[in-house]
């Protein structure tokens, strides 16, 4: 009888296609990819969604500036986001575009549900609007600079807009939202973002303008096509569009509510206030969790087009290698905090941790097996207390890594693994199998078996983070494809003595700066 696999639905925000992907896009999708890969290996029925947000005034203006029709413009830019999936070795199950017919159907059905429940009404909007942010700005949020120009909190210039508009009765959902936050304490993370959102909602919610008439590039309002939907109502609906909504059986019943929406901290309000309010008003379940991560700086400077210091993830991969980039982004800063990218920090992580710590551990262990054990997994003799401690530490990693990733603590998960990597390096130095080769070959074989088994467990757990390098390492341990999921980390599963191993080869090369030709 087959065992039912629990569902797990993880999403990136859909990315706005007014420009090509940058490190922020790569970072968010990488975090989701690590979670998706981990959960698949852990026996879950995973659904991983990403895609592009292609409507709105900003897109219409960008297309006009490029002398293109909006659809042709979005086709081109959306493809650059799709191509990043292969470059970064991401594994989504679906890539959604908001210009697809299925999405128009979903948006209009959600709109009609809100109308039927009395939560959308026609009025007129007069207020400040930030086109770059695609957001309405209240008087209390306005920032007036020395030049007298009014700006949004993001720094974008706002414009005064007056036009007919449909409104969503957001004010009606202030207390229900606060109650939802109280009864679902893990809904918003990290804690700093949860506190920020609660303060915002407690400060009072006003009804939200959810349609525009001054441009036409969007989903038409059903029954009144002079209006297009506010781009955020359109964009947020993608998470259920991809599950077949408005049908509520099939994938929708299987995966909704989402286990986690991963977003940048700049869009947490849309996901943690507007989105659950829309869903509650439509009598649909909100997602289980919204996690808002921080921003990256570049060598200590804020990233901006004006400074010309935008970090291209493709350039990073071409410079340092894919697995090194994936590792660094998940390792360098606690997830949820802001982080700084620097060449020095990147090279430090690559050379110190990947090459020296894990790379040398694997290379030393497997090379000694190749030279001294006939290229086969050695037959261990009785394990000493030191051996048992090492094997126990390797075996305990899974539960600790699992707990960390369930909190989106990616750096903590990697540190859990690295504690064992460092412990194994201390173990090999302490046991000195190169000395035992001359004095006690049986003991040498036991030590090398413990090391190989430890490396196997490390490599299995590293698959979500550095999939290519981990696969090569598992190849060198002759682990078959069906022995790489987390079932192979059960206490009863270990390397089989006598298994033929291929010739070992390094999997984590050191980075050599091409300008100096010296390893940094």
């Amino acid at each position: 009888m087959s065992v039912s696999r629990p569902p797990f639905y993880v999403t990136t925000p859909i990315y706005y296609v007014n420009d090509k992907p940058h490190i922020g896009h790569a970072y968010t999708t990488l975090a989701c990819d690590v979670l998706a890969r981990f959960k698949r290996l852990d026996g879950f029925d995973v659904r991983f969604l990403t895609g592009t947000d292609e409507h709105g005034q900003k897109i219409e203006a960008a297309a006009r500036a490029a002398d293109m029709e909006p659809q042709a413009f979005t086709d081109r830019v959306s493809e650059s986001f799709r191509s990043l999936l292969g470059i970064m070795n991401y594994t989504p199950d679906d890539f959604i575009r908001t210009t697809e017919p299925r999405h128009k159907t979903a948006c209009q059905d959600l709109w009609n549900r809100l109308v039927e429940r009395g939560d959308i009404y026609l009025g007129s909007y007069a207020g400040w609007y930030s086109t770059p942010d695609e957001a309405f700005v209240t008087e209390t949020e306005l920032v007036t600079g020395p030049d007298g120009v009014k700006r949004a909190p993001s720094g974008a210039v706002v414009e005064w807009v007056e036009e007919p508009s449909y409104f969503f009765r957001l004010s009606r959902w202030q207390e229900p939202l606060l109650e939802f936050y109280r009864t679902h304490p893990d809904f918003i993370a990290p804690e700093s973002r949860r506190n920020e959102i609660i303060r915002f909602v407690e400060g009072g919610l006003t009804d939200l303008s959810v349609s525009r008439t001054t441009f036409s590039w969007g989903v038409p309002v059903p029954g009144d096509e002079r209006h297009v939907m506010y781009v955020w109502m359109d964009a947020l609906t993608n998470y259920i569009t991809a599950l077949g909504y408005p049908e509520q059986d099939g994938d929708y019943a299987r995966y909704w509510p989402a286990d986690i929406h991963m977003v940048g901290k700049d869009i947490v309000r849309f996901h943690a206030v507007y989105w659950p309010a829309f869903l509650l008003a439509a009598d649909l379940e909100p997602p289980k969790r919204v996690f808002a991560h921080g921003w990256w700086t570049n060598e200590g400077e804020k990233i901006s087009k004006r400074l010309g210091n935008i970090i291209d993830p493709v350039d990073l991969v071409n410079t340092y290698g894919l697995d090194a980039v994936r590792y660094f982004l998940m390792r360098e800063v606690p997830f949820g905090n802001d982080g700084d990218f620097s060449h020095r920090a990147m090279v430090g992580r690559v050379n110190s941790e990947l090459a020296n710590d894990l790379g040398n551990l694997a290379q030393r262990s497997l090379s000694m097996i190749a030279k001294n054990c006939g290229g086969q997994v050695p037959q261990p003799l009785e394990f000493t207390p030191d051996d048992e401690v090492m094997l126990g530490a390797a075996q305990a990693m899974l539960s600790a890594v699992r707990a960390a990733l369930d909190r989106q603590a990616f750096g903590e998960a990697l540190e859990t693994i690295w504690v064992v990597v460092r412990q194994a390096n201390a173990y090999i130095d302490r046991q000195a199998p190169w000395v035992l080769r001359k004095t006690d070959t049986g003991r040498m074989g036991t030590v090398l078996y413990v090391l190989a088994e430890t490396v196997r467990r490390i490599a299995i757990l590293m698959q979500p983070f550095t999939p290519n390098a981990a696969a090569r390492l598992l190849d060198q341990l002759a682990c078959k494809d069906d022995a790489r999921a987390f079932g192979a980390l059960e206490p009863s599963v270990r390397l089989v003595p006598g298994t033929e191993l291929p010739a070992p080869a390094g999997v984590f090369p050191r980075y050599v700066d091409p300008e100096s030709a010296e390893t940094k």
Side-chain angles (χ1 to χ4, degrees):
M1 184 176 69
S2 63
V3 177
S4 176
R5 298 188 301 149
F8 184 81
Y9 183 31
V10 57
T11 72
T12 74
I14 50 172
Y15 300 118
Y16 216 46
V17 295
N18 63 320
D19 209 344
K20 67 179 184 177
H22 55 65
I23 191 173
H25 305 119
Y27 186 54
T28 316
T29 312
L30 174 58
C32 293
D33 185 64
V34 169
L35 284 179
R37 286 175 178 271
F38 186 91
K39 291 294 184 179
R40 290 186 194 114
L41 291 167
D42 210 13
F44 283 73
D45 173 17
V46 171
R47 181 83 164 191
F48 168 20
L49 175 69
T50 189
T52 46
D53 178 6
E54 304 181 15
H55 287 138
Q57 188 174 3
K58 188 162 57 172
I59 299 297
E60 191 174 74
R64 189 164 51 245
D67 196 25
M68 298 177 70
E69 290 298 315
Q71 187 64 62
F73 178 81
T74 58
D75 288 346
R76 186 184 71 184
V77 184
S78 179
E79 190 55 39
S80 69
F81 282 86
R82 193 186 292 270
S83 67
L84 187 65
L85 304 178
I87 293 167
M88 294 295 295
N89 198 4
Y90 300 143
T91 58
D93 299 289
D94 193 2
F95 185 96
I96 189 167
R97 299 180 60 188
T98 57
T99 49
E100 295 178 51
R102 60 172 173 164
H103 186 63
K104 177 181 175 181
T105 299
C107 288
Q108 292 185 331
D109 184 88
L110 180 62
W111 180 281
N112 286 334
R113 287 176 72 98
L114 296 173
V115 170
E116 289 165 6
R117 287 159 175 76
D119 276 290
I120 285 182
Y121 63 92
L122 181 62
S124 61
Y125 177 76
W128 298 102
Y129 187 76
S130 167
T131 298
D133 298 326
E134 298 282 11
F136 302 98
V137 182
T138 65
E139 289 285 349
T140 56
E141 292 175 309
L142 283 177
V143 179
T144 304
D147 55 2
V149 175
K150 290 182 170 58
R151 299 176 184 273
S154 66
V157 175
V158 297
E159 60 179 333
W160 184 260
V161 174
E162 294 186 29
E163 61 181 314
S165 176
Y166 286 92
F167 285 81
F168 171 71
R169 296 186 193 276
L170 185 62
S171 58
R172 178 186 287 181
W173 293 94
Q174 179 174 334
E175 287 307 317
L177 281 172
L178 291 172
E179 177 61 21
F180 180 76
Y181 301 150
R182 283 191 290 270
T183 56
H184 298 79
D186 295 328
F187 174 63
I188 307 168
E191 188 70 18
S192 60
R193 300 298 161 215
R194 173 179 161 80
N195 294 337
E196 170 192 322
I197 291 300
I198 290 175
R199 285 195 302 270
F200 174 76
V201 176
E202 287 176 339
L205 297 178
T206 57
D207 290 352
L208 179 68
S209 173
V210 288
S211 75
R212 301 293 305 276
T213 60
T214 52
F215 64 95
S216 60
W217 185 241
V219 176
V221 167
D224 192 350
E225 296 201 353
R226 296 169 300 171
H227 293 252
V228 293
M229 291 184 196
Y230 174 42
V231 70
W232 274 103
M233 175 170 273
D234 166 358
L236 292 163
T237 307
N238 92 89
Y239 302 125
I240 54 177
T241 298
L243 299 181
Y245 181 87
E247 298 299 324
Q248 293 187 44
D249 53 6
D251 283 345
Y252 183 93
R254 183 174 168 185
Y255 294 110
W256 191 259
D259 290 86
I260 183 165
H261 291 328
M262 195 75 75
V263 302
K265 66 179 183 179
D266 54 323
I267 56 173
V268 64
R269 183 185 302 178
F270 302 100
H271 286 79
V273 180
Y274 299 167
W275 182 223
F278 295 157
L279 291 167
L280 289 168
D283 197 25
L284 301 171
E285 283 190 82
K288 296 175 185 176
R289 187 168 172 86
V290 175
F291 193 105
H293 64 72
W295 291 340
W296 285 88
T297 53
N298 187 353
E299 303 283 353
E301 284 191 318
K302 183 178 179 180
I303 294 174
S304 73
K305 286 185 182 179
R306 182 178 58 82
L307 294 173
N309 65 347
I310 291 174
I311 301 174
D312 185 336
V314 179
D315 290 344
L316 291 184
V317 170
N318 290 338
T319 301
Y320 302 106
L322 174 57
D323 281 337
V325 171
R326 288 178 61 109
Y327 178 80
F328 176 85
L329 292 178
M330 292 290 94
R331 175 68 158 149
E332 181 65 6
V333 296
F335 197 71
N337 294 2
D338 291 340
D340 183 54
F341 178 88
S342 74
H343 174 73
R344 186 174 189 175
M346 179 81 196
V347 174
R349 292 286 186 190
V350 170
N351 289 350
S352 174
E353 296 182 356
L354 291 180
N356 288 0
D357 291 348
L358 180 51
N360 280 350
L361 171 67
Q363 186 70 5
R364 286 199 292 174
S365 304
L366 297 178
S367 292
M368 287 203 69
I369 290 174
K371 291 177 182 176
N372 302 297
C373 303
Q376 297 180 351
V377 175
Q379 174 68 56
L381 304 180
E382 185 177 352
F383 293 126
T384 67
D386 203 14
D387 301 336
E388 295 287 6
V389 168
M390 186 70 256
L391 290 168
Q395 186 178 306
M397 284 188 295
L398 174 58
S399 60
V401 172
R402 182 187 285 137
L405 289 186
D406 281 344
R407 292 181 284 108
Q408 293 76 62
F410 297 95
E412 184 181 319
L414 284 168
E415 177 58 20
T416 295
I417 297 170
W418 245 254
V419 166
V420 175
V421 171
R422 290 190 289 265
Q423 189 173 343
N425 275 311
Y427 171 85
I428 192 173
D429 289 341
R430 188 166 59 249
Q431 294 295 333
W434 48 89
V435 174
L436 293 171
R437 179 173 62 87
K438 302 174 183 177
T439 60
D440 190 340
T441 55
R443 177 64 192 152
M444 175 200 69
T446 303
V447 169
L448 292 176
Y449 180 88
V450 169
L451 288 165
E453 175 59 19
T454 299
V455 170
R456 182 187 74 91
R457 290 177 176 267
I458 291 168
I460 287 174
L461 282 172
M462 284 297 291
Q463 290 176 102
F465 299 95
T466 58
N468 294 340
R472 291 196 297 272
L473 200 46
L474 290 168
D475 288 343
Q476 293 181 43
L477 288 162
C479 294
K480 296 180 179 178
D481 290 346
D482 61 359
R484 300 186 180 194
F486 294 162
L489 296 177
E490 291 291 325
S492 60
V493 181
R494 285 184 175 174
L495 286 169
V496 177
T499 301
E500 295 278 349
L501 301 182
V507 295
F508 291 113
R510 291 177 63 80
Y511 177 83
V512 178
D513 195 315
E515 293 185 3
S516 65
E518 295 178 3
T519 302
K520 298 297 183 184

